[in-house]
Amino acid sequence: MRLLVRERLFAVGDDYWIKDTEGRKVFLVDGKAMRMRDTFELKDAQGRILIELRQKLISLRDTMVIERDGEELAEVKRKRLSLLRNHYRVTLVDGTELDVSGRILDREFAIDYDGELLAQISRRWLTVRDTYGIDVVREDADAALLIAVSLCVIVLADKEG
């Protein structure tokens, strides 16, 4: 599944659609303005909330929390002892860890689990300015979760940069 994200609209308070390669609206990112922390909702095309993303208020390092149905699903934070500044760790509530690495600010990075590629985020495939693609590689992967992870990592990297 390949999805397209118009980056220039990516800000708290802005709502924007993530579309498939045919231009069909697949996910809505609903930025919640007027909150003390960055908060987004990822909705399906019918407007149902699939995942909520929010910045954790109290933490030693910037952390984003991903919730589904009011329950915490994962935490995203920069990897502590990484020589690479653009290396993030996603810890799911069941203890599973996903790695995110690459050039986050350039929108060229990958999400993998135990060395297996789950999703690739890139501008390389596209000629449209201010747009990047999210290519969910595994058919059985949770696309909404992988999109949420990529959005969290971009928010955190943009704050650092």
Side-chain angles (χ1 to χ4, degrees), residues 94-122:
D94 67 2
T96 303
E97 291 186 342
L98 307 178
D99 285 313
V100 181
S101 60
R103 297 186 324 271
I104 311 296
L105 295 175
D106 293 333
R107 306 309 185 249
E108 296 289 339
F109 60 96
I111 303 169
D112 65 51
Y113 167 69
D114 202 24
E116 182 182 353
L117 182 65
L118 298 177
Q120 183 77 38
I121 291 74
S122 180

Side-chain angles (χ1 to χ4, degrees), residues 109-139:
F109 60 96
I111 303 169
D112 65 51
Y113 167 69
D114 202 24
E116 182 182 353
L117 182 65
L118 298 177
Q120 183 77 38
I121 291 74
S122 180
R123 284 189 171 143
R124 283 180 297 206
W125 324 308
L126 305 167
T127 57
V128 179
R129 198 169 146 249
D130 297 329
T131 301
Y132 62 92
I134 300 174
D135 192 13
V136 179
V137 177
R138 287 188 47 162
E139 288 185 28

Side-chain angles (χ1 to χ4, degrees), residues 1-2 21 34 53 64 81-82 85 96 99 108-109 116 122 143 148 151 155:
M1 172 189 299
R2 185 170 287 172
T21 54
M34 305 303 292
L53 308 92
M64 296 283 295
L81 298 174
S82 175
R85 191 175 130 178
T96 303
D99 285 313
E108 296 289 339
F109 60 96
E116 182 182 353
S122 180
L151 296 175
V155 168

Side-chain angles (χ1 to χ4, degrees), residues 136-158:
V136 179
V137 177
R138 287 188 47 162
E139 288 185 28
D140 63 340
D142 184 343
L145 174 61
L146 294 174
I147 291 166
V149 166
S150 66
L151 296 175
C152 287
V153 167
I154 289 169
V155 168
L156 291 172
D158 283 350

